[in-house]
Amino acid sequence: DTLRYQKQNITLYSAGTSGNGTGSTVEDFYNGSFALTFVSKLNESFTTLPIAFNSTPTVESGSYAHVDQKEIQLAREIKAALVALPNKVIDDVNVEVNVGMESRTIGGGFTSSQYDQAFVNIVVEFTGSSVRGPQNLLMVETNACGDGCSPKLEGMALLSYSGGDQAGSLLSFVSSD
């Protein structure tokens, strides 16, 4: 038998300049910030510090402008934010990030049209001893939250989950032992 860890899949879709996803680009995510809220099995809520998707992330060997390096840096920042939560409520996770464009369809029949929509896909795998077994789904905090608010977030213009369209979603796709 192999030990299986729970994985949670978070996909964020940019609202773009029109607010419905058309005209969106990967750059829409740059310099925005979000936070993740983890609810423990004891029903305690813990929210990370702001996580920024910078246009020029700094990593050990310098600044990079390539999407692959931005994905690596964002994954590092998400992991660091989650394991920094108080009381070692999350002691270890693996994080993968993919950024790109996805072809989507608006409408149906003769009035349908296709467009490309920017997305950020985050997969969080709970691997630590304090997060064994099924976990509550992470919550994504993306609304701007200014002075006097915690955590202080720049926010991100995203589409919300709308049922059938799945414009933005969070789901657990691998259950744990």
Side-chain angles (χ1 to χ4, degrees):
D1 262 351
T2 59
L3 181 62
R4 292 186 324 167
Y5 298 108
Q6 184 184 41
K7 288 185 181 181
Q8 293 186 16
N9 182 6
I10 304 164
T11 304
L12 308 175
Y13 289 98
S14 171
T17 54
S18 63
N20 68 357
T22 58
S24 67
T25 66
V26 170
E27 288 79 17
D28 295 342
F29 296 109
Y30 296 165
N31 301 318
S33 61
F34 64 97
L36 296 172
T37 298
F38 174 78
V39 179
S40 73
K41 293 179 191 176
L42 298 174
N43 209 29
E44 301 167 307
S45 294
F46 300 91
T47 301
T48 65
L49 293 173
I51 301 166
F53 189 16
N54 297 316
S55 59
T56 54
T58 303
V59 292
E60 287 83 6
S61 57
S63 294
Y64 294 89
H66 303 299
V67 171
D68 290 347
Q69 293 300 326
K70 292 174 189 174
E71 291 172 348
I72 292 167
Q73 182 64 20
L74 183 57
R76 287 178 183 166
E77 290 181 21
I78 293 169
K79 178 177 180 159
L82 288 170
V83 298
L85 291 173
N87 305 330
K88 295 194 180 277
V89 67
I90 298 177
D91 56 341
D92 200 13
V93 293
N94 292 326
V95 180
E96 293 178 25
V97 173
N98 292 300
V99 178
M101 300 295 289
E102 179 178 287
S103 182
R104 313 228 358 138
T105 302
I106 297 177
F110 293 113
T111 61
S112 70
S113 62
Q114 283 199 313
Y115 66 98
D116 289 333
Q117 184 171 23
F119 71 89
V120 173
N121 178 254
I122 303 163
V123 177
V124 178
E125 180 181 35
F126 294 94
T127 58
S129 60
S130 68
V131 285
R132 286 192 181 143
Q135 300 298 318
N136 293 311
L137 294 177
L138 292 168
M139 293 178 279
V140 183
E141 314 291 341
T142 60
N143 292 331
C145 190
D147 292 339
C149 193
S150 179
K152 186 175 179 180
L153 299 173
E154 297 297 321
M156 297 178 127
L158 302 176
L159 288 178
S160 298
Y161 175 74
S162 60
D165 185 24
Q166 289 200 7
S169 62
L170 169 69
L171 60 103
S172 174
F173 69 98
V174 174
S175 60
S176 61
D177 288 337

